[in-house]
Amino acid sequence: MKVLNRIRTLAAIAAGFGALSAGGAWAADLKVGFITSLSGPVSSLGIPYEKGMKAALAYKADLGGRKIQLVQLDDASDPTTAARNARKMIDEDKVDVIIGTAGSPGALAIAGVARETKTPLISIANANLPGEEGAWMVTVPQPAPLMLSAVVEHMKKSGVKTVGYIGFSDAWGDLVYDALTKSAPAAGLKVVSNERYARGDASVTGQVLKIAALRPDAVITGTSGTPGALPYLALAERGYKGQIYGMHALINPDFVRVGGNAVNGLLAPTGPVIVAEQLPESNPIRKVSMDFRAAYQKANGAPPTDAFSAYTFDAWLLYLDAAQRALATKAEPGTPQFRVALRDAIVSTKELVGTHSVYNFKPTDRYGSDDRSRVVVKLDKGQWKLVP
């Protein structure tokens, strides 16, 4: 079934852009592996990631006269499958880079394979590994501390003194909680809870009862996608009236649909692409964001309504920029020398304008974003609106 799904995915993408040869495979010089979650609990993020890849291919599917072959697999929201997919792509398909996947645990699993095989990984989920462990990866989404600082600033200005926290019981939940506890004291905020739940859980009643009993001024979650709506639904059921906050991993139409009235008024940080039309003409992110929207419309037949598809698009821009510089070294795609040159080019990227950020990477830093990559938005009757 997975092999059939892989063949169908490749055929659909190739047919959509007229790239199939008579033999049924792309006549390509460059190979990119793409792993996302098209099934399982992370699929509400994984499907937008795939749509972003289709937009990326509509935007540019060749480089320097060489066509780019995309090899795609579904990891079914399972980190073990994500790692197995990565190994298959590297060993059998001979890809030079991997872009993926939809969840932090899966991205960290791929990072282990990337390090072992010396293959660059461009993570589209928020994942961070220090030192040599992460030497072959970079992360496109903005780091939790950077985005959370915008939330903490808003809390301070709004007079919030106590904050309840509930997040996933995984790497993403840890990242957000760690960032919150490090930034809260300087803003005069007290974090009063650290509740957790699994992405596949059907209820968080027990956790929310504990938070509600503490009566915090505000509640923030370290969650993402549709499973991220659970705490807000439970808080609304118990009549919680404090301010609700979230992170950039919630900017997703399925989250808005499932959360309904319970998430109305939610405040969250996100990348500028979500409010691109409200940016000044002088902002370089505005133009790239509008180009992304046009490519997305062309590839998917509808405008984008999430933040995740734009992360894939930015990962593609990062790959194109780095691959061009790697090719200039005369190393040939498909060789260890090219993968090293590609990794070196990725981690030395300077002022690359994307939809979420202007990226600057360093060999010792997994993230490439700065303050230009964040705005605060409010969910108002199903629409995200810029908060001045």
Side-chain angles (χ1 to χ4, degrees):
M1 179 63 70
K2 290 180 180 177
V3 173
L4 180 59
N5 176 62
R6 178 167 174 269
I7 293 172
R8 284 176 175 169
T9 302
L10 284 170
I13 294 173
F17 299 101
L20 280 174
S21 68
W26 277 20
D29 295 316
L30 294 162
K31 285 189 176 182
V32 175
F34 176 51
I35 302 171
T36 189
S37 304
L38 299 178
S39 55
V42 195
S43 60
S44 65
L45 309 183
I47 292 171
Y49 279 135
E50 183 191 39
K51 291 181 177 179
M53 182 57 75
K54 290 179 180 178
L57 288 167
Y59 178 74
K60 189 172 179 62
D62 59 81
L63 184 65
R66 302 171 185 251
K67 291 189 179 297
I68 304 172
Q69 179 178 350
L70 185 75
V71 181
Q72 178 175 331
L73 286 173
D74 172 19
D75 64 18
S77 302
D78 176 44
T80 301
T81 303
R84 186 167 57 246
N85 286 349
R87 195 171 297 280
K88 177 180 176 61
M89 289 175 167
I90 294 164
D91 292 345
E92 298 180 17
D93 298 300
K94 309 300 180 185
V95 301
D96 291 307
V97 64
I98 290 178
I99 296 174
T101 184
S104 300
L108 291 172
I110 296 171
V113 178
R115 179 177 65 252
E116 179 188 335
T117 60
K118 292 182 170 52
T119 304
L121 165 64
I122 302 176
S123 176
I124 49 176
N126 216 306
N128 182 27
L129 285 173
E132 286 302 312
E133 283 190 283
W136 285 84
M137 70 177 291
V138 295
T139 298
V140 173
Q142 303 91 329
L146 176 66
M147 299 304 265
L148 190 66
S149 64
V151 174
V152 168
E153 288 169 12
H154 188 278
M155 288 181 179
K156 182 178 180 180
K157 290 177 181 178
S158 301
V160 172
K161 297 298 182 183
T162 55
V163 184
Y165 177 79
I166 178 171
F168 287 149
S169 53
D170 62 21
W172 177 234
D174 292 342
L175 282 170
V176 179
Y177 181 72
D178 290 345
L180 177 63
T181 54
K182 288 176 181 177
S183 61
L189 303 175
K190 182 180 180 181
V191 182
V192 298
S193 69
N194 180 16
E195 298 296 327
R196 302 301 184 95
Y197 69 101
R199 292 174 187 255
D201 286 353
S203 172
V204 293
T205 300
Q207 297 94 317
V208 166
L209 282 172
K210 293 178 184 178
I211 294 174
L214 296 170
R215 298 182 178 179
D217 297 329
V219 174
I220 184 170
T221 69
T223 60
S224 63
T226 4
L230 273 178
Y232 302 106
L233 291 167
L235 285 166
E237 287 173 1
R238 272 132 200 91
Y240 179 73
K241 300 300 182 183
Q243 180 59 55
I244 51 175
Y245 291 88
M247 290 294 283
H248 48 314
L250 294 177
I251 310 297
N252 177 285
D254 285 339
F255 166 78
V256 176
R257 174 182 55 81
V258 172
N261 289 333
V263 295
N264 191 51
L266 174 76
L267 289 157
T270 188
V273 64
I274 298 300
V275 289
E277 70 284 352
Q278 299 177 47
L279 300 175
E281 293 284 353
S282 59
N283 190 322
I285 291 178
R286 176 189 171 106
K287 181 184 184 306
V288 177
S289 294
M290 300 311 287
D291 289 345
F292 157 69
R293 290 186 182 184
Y296 187 101
Q297 177 77 42
K298 177 182 177 182
N300 297 290
T305 56
D306 68 280
F308 298 92
S309 53
Y311 285 128
T312 314
F313 189 82
D314 281 3
W316 192 253
L317 296 180
L318 177 59
Y319 165 70
L320 292 175
D321 177 72
Q324 186 172 17
R325 287 181 283 126
L327 287 170
T329 69
K330 306 303 180 183
E332 278 300 309
T335 66
Q337 293 80 9
F338 184 75
R339 291 195 292 275
V340 170
L342 184 58
R343 190 278 304 265
D344 291 346
I346 290 171
V347 299
S348 61
T349 298
K350 302 295 182 187
E351 290 294 290
L352 176 69
V353 181
T355 64
H356 275 281
S357 184
V358 179
Y359 297 97
N360 289 277
F361 286 99
K362 299 177 182 178
T364 56
D365 188 358
R366 308 299 159 241
Y367 295 99
S369 299
D370 56 30
D371 286 349
R372 292 173 289 182
S373 70
R374 60 177 202 171
V375 295
V376 175
V377 294
K378 183 176 183 178
L379 190 57
D380 183 10
K381 298 178 182 178
Q383 301 296 317
W384 296 105
K385 296 185 178 179
L386 180 66
V387 176

